[in-house]
Amino acid sequence: MDERLEAEGEVAVARLAIDSGDLEHAAAHLGNALTVAPQLPDAYEALAELAVAAGGNAAALGLFDMDEPYIGTVACIAQLHAAAGRWDSALPALASVIGADPERPWAEVAWLADPALPGLVPPDAVTQAVAVLVRTLPEPLPPQLREGVGPFYALVRACVTAHPGHSLLHTMASTLARRFGDMAEAVEWAEDACRLEPGHWQAVVLGGALRAAGRPDEALAVWEAEIARDPSDVDLYVDVAELHRHGGRPAEGLAWLDRGLAVEPEHPKALPASFALRHAVDGGTAQLLALSDHLRAHPEHGYAAALLAELCEDEPWLGHVHPAFEASVNVLHRMLANPKTARDHEIELLGSALEAPSTRLAVRMGFPNSKIDYQSVAAPDPRVPQYEVVTPLWRFDGPQGLDARPALDPPSAESAELVRDVTALAWPAPVAAYDHAVRLSGLDPEDLLALCVHPPLPRRDEQGAYLLGRQPEMWVRAVQTFACLGIAHHRADEPWMDSRRRALLLDLLFGPEDWTNEAAGFALLATAWADPEAREDVGVRLVDRMMAVGKAWRERDATSLASLCRLVLACPWLDETFLDLAEKMLSAAKEFDARSPEGDEERRSGITAELEARQSRESAPAARGSKPRSLLGRLFGRTR
């Protein structure tokens, strides 16, 4: 139903209730009407009629349920307060509505646009209202929110002009100006506030305005001077420390945090910030894990969650699916980027050496009418599992066993749809990915295993269209990742070492070289981050797999090596020997990749590509050279 028609229906019912004397019923319907259509003039006219029937605005206020007020109810209350000239109540109520749903036109009410209003409304009421509003508004405001908040901001600007001597009004107006990107006015108003009435809050806001305006050194000077004057505000120590961190001086920031923690050792922002600063100083992942553990113990600490997400965001596996580097994936990208190709074209890929079987899934997702063949198997044979596998995902058919096909039947449609709905390419941190996958805990593990080799198509949304048209391999890897995370939740009450979920994930980790090794490795890692009792075991298994692939990499291409190294590096509880080795192996793999000329991916990969699109046929040159064998030294095996 059209929103306006729905709101008009609510108003019509409200007027019938007013006529019958059922005023509480009428109030409920008017609240519903404004919830649906905040701009509807009839709703405000009917609200005025309700006030007359109730005997005045004050009496009408008592008709609305304030125990659990809905957003439309609060909008009605703001309107009634405004009609009575009670600006100290009207403005904060309206501000709370705008802040709760800033995309909608709550501020487009007639009384807010009255040119006489800035001279009528007390500056304290405006100050309080802005304080309510900025509590929930993001900084900066995205463009789609500025229109909805704009009328309120216009009133605030006019009130600042009308009350040039009110320090706190200038202070709060500065915080709103920052959100609109008006940095010059934000600084000017904050400086005016400090000049009119120097105080703690004025100094805090001035520093914030200077920081937002790109003047960090001036911000630090203001804040550090304020801490010297009043050392009790630990939040300000955190602001100073974070400014030092973003300025590339984390050690200096740590010194400020230590002072703040001496004031309040369990401060909900200072303690998480100390992990972030130490991470900036030390590198590695130990402090990220400590921050994750802190968040697990204190899920109410939103600042810790925000910091962890920020620090993990750009890190493969910590914040998103690790990319794939197979040669056929490189060719796939080139084909998808060619505007002359289409999904229904017949594609033939001929590789010099067998690749991870999952690359076939990605290529066929991008080009369903594709054929992929390989000329040989490089030694050591990537089809041979590192240890005996109970449930193989792949079978290798053909005369030389070069045709990899799923060894499992497709999963149920219900399981496929749920995994498609849950799958994500990025997450705030490993434990967040683990928690997100809990919705898959009820699925049959056999279906989750089958989904690793029968991934559904991406969702029918903008991101899904992009993945299908540009990077289908990332979707395949994400599905495999969340299928494995679903397995990690199977019978979660079983002790880890004897659990079926562990056995299934180790089967995948140590199976034939494939993307599913990496997906299972991340599921093990996420489990270990969530469950400290699993850490020692998981670390050993990941090192074991990394070592085996590292040995193979000395002889041939092993595209999962960098991914496995990053998984090991995300296990900071391991001995430094293994962490150092993982770092060296990762650097060696990246160094080798960097030697090949940019833009010549097909020559480097040894893949030939044939595109049969009626008229065109393309092929790629020969294979890339052999790897130097002296980059890895301390490799050894370990049994399960």
Side-chain angles (χ1 to χ4, degrees), residues 211-547:
R211 176 183 58 185
R215 297 158 62 179
D217 291 338
E218 294 173 71
L220 280 173
V222 170
W223 282 343
E224 291 174 3
E226 180 56 24
I227 290 176
R229 191 192 69 81
D230 177 5
S232 64
D233 185 355
V234 179
D235 282 312
L236 198 51
Y237 290 91
V238 176
D239 289 335
V240 168
E242 287 290 354
L243 203 49
H244 279 295
R245 176 168 74 93
H246 291 296
R249 303 178 299 272
E252 294 180 44
L254 267 176
W256 284 96
L257 280 180
D258 289 342
R259 290 175 58 186
L261 288 169
V263 176
E264 188 177 344
E266 298 297 323
H267 190 272
K269 291 179 67 176
L271 195 53
S274 69
F275 296 126
L277 269 292
R278 288 188 175 88
H279 171 69
V281 172
D282 301 336
T285 58
Q287 298 302 325
L288 299 182
L289 179 61
L291 182 55
S292 179
D293 286 345
H294 173 87
L295 183 59
R296 185 162 47 86
H298 300 280
E300 74 281 5
H301 287 183
Y303 187 69
L307 273 179
L308 186 59
E310 175 196 337
L311 297 172
C312 290
E313 182 178 15
D314 296 327
E315 300 298 327
W317 285 136
L318 295 182
H320 60 82
V321 173
H322 199 289
F325 297 110
E326 278 74 14
S328 56
V329 172
N330 294 333
V331 175
L332 173 63
H333 288 171
R334 294 172 69 88
M335 291 179 175
L336 290 171
N338 186 342
K340 295 181 180 180
T341 60
R343 290 192 76 235
D344 59 354
H345 286 170
E346 295 181 0
I347 305 298
E348 292 186 6
L349 296 179
L350 179 61
S352 60
L354 184 68
E355 294 182 317
S358 290
T359 58
R360 290 172 175 262
L361 302 177
V363 173
R364 287 174 176 157
M365 188 169 285
F367 293 98
N369 299 321
S370 60
K371 181 181 179 182
I372 309 167
D373 290 313
Y374 299 98
Q375 295 176 322
S376 64
V377 179
D381 193 335
R383 298 169 300 180
V384 178
Q386 185 175 343
Y387 299 109
E388 182 181 353
V389 172
V390 176
T391 307
L393 296 183
W394 301 99
R395 66 172 188 267
F396 296 91
D397 298 332
Q400 301 180 55
L402 298 176
D403 187 9
R405 297 182 181 276
L408 303 174
D409 293 332
S412 69
E414 295 79 10
S415 295
E417 186 58 35
L418 182 57
V419 168
R420 183 166 80 156
D421 183 53
V422 170
T423 294
L425 273 76
W427 40 82
V431 174
Y434 176 85
D435 290 342
H436 181 64
V438 73
R439 292 175 56 192
L440 306 177
S441 60
L443 296 185
D444 189 326
E446 300 303 318
D447 269 359
L448 291 168
L449 291 170
L451 279 158
C452 289
V453 292
H454 296 286
L457 289 172
R459 293 182 288 271
R460 294 181 180 177
D461 55 19
E462 184 177 352
Q463 184 192 59
Y466 173 82
L467 290 169
L468 194 59
R470 284 287 182 264
Q471 288 187 295
E473 85 286 353
M474 291 299 285
W475 174 253
V476 172
R477 290 171 69 84
V479 169
Q480 292 173 336
T481 296
F482 274 86
C484 289
L485 285 168
I487 293 172
H489 283 283
H490 178 62
R491 297 180 187 170
D493 57 333
E494 291 182 345
W496 171 249
M497 293 301 294
D498 300 320
S499 65
R500 187 171 182 229
R501 64 188 185 280
R502 174 183 178 272
L504 290 170
L505 290 173
L506 291 182
D507 247 18
L508 297 181
L509 177 68
F510 291 115
E513 284 186 36
D514 184 48
W515 295 352
T516 49
N517 305 155
E518 303 166 56
F522 175 71
L524 288 164
L525 176 75
T527 300
W529 275 48
D531 178 10
E533 293 186 4
R535 288 177 185 171
E536 182 178 357
D537 175 60
V538 167
V540 168
R541 309 307 155 194
L542 291 176
V543 168
D544 192 358
R545 188 56 173 154
M546 178 192 72
M547 300 287 239

Side-chain angles (χ1 to χ4, degrees), residues 170 183-193 195:
H170 283 68
M183 298 309 175
E185 287 179 306
V187 172
E188 180 185 350
W189 289 343
E191 288 176 336
D192 289 344
R195 186 182 66 256

Side-chain angles (χ1 to χ4, degrees), residues 51 80 106 133 149 158 228 350 375 596:
L80 290 171
W106 300 105
L133 179 59
V149 186
L350 179 61
Q375 295 176 322
S596 300

